[in-house]
Amino acid sequence: MLLVVTYSRAARTTLRNVCRTHDETVVRQFGRAALLDDTHHGAFLALRLVEKHGADVHVELTRPLNEFVDVPESVHEAARAYERRESPSTPYYAFARGTDHPSPTALRERDL
């Protein structure tokens, strides 16, 4: 998919108009950003915005996260356990301390 992020009011307006006009190519719209199909049409729409608004538009090629393939089971287990914790106000670093769950530092340092 193509992630299109806008940084000015004019660029946001153009993005909104593009999304309304070409909804068959829009995967999802988030106000100042949108996900477009990674097709030639999606690229065309994104590059039109760049041509019109220059640095006020940023485009990235993304890929969906397959949580079952891309994320290790230890991260799944940590997320499940953290969401089931007894005290909702406990921060993750305190929750993970003294357990087999990865520390916040380890989570930050490991790439998917």
Side-chain angles (χ1 to χ4, degrees):
M1 286 182 278
L2 297 171
L3 173 64
V4 180
V5 182
T6 59
Y7 298 103
S8 70
R9 180 174 286 151
R12 283 192 301 275
T13 300
T14 303
L15 177 64
R16 186 173 45 252
N17 291 339
V18 164
C19 289
R20 285 181 185 153
T21 307
H22 302 283
D23 63 333
E24 73 282 353
T25 303
V26 178
V27 175
R28 180 164 285 157
Q29 186 179 2
F30 305 99
R32 70 175 52 233
L35 287 170
L36 304 179
D37 282 333
D38 58 347
T39 61
H40 286 199
H41 189 244
F44 171 78
L45 295 174
L47 293 177
R48 277 184 55 209
L49 287 161
V50 171
E51 281 297 315
K52 185 172 184 174
H53 299 286
D56 286 341
V57 176
H58 181 82
V59 180
E60 289 281 336
L61 182 60
T62 66
R63 65 179 178 85
L65 174 71
N66 182 335
E67 66 179 281
F68 304 106
V69 174
D70 299 329
V71 180
E73 185 57 31
S74 62
V75 176
H76 280 275
E77 290 173 10
R80 276 192 294 273
Y82 184 61
E83 284 306 310
R84 293 180 181 137
R85 67 196 182 279
E86 291 180 19
S87 177
S89 61
T90 303
Y92 182 75
Y93 70 86
F95 171 81
R97 190 179 316 127
T99 69
D100 290 336
H101 300 301
S103 70
T105 302
L107 291 171
R108 285 186 200 96
E109 292 174 349
R110 294 183 187 140
D111 293 331
L112 288 178

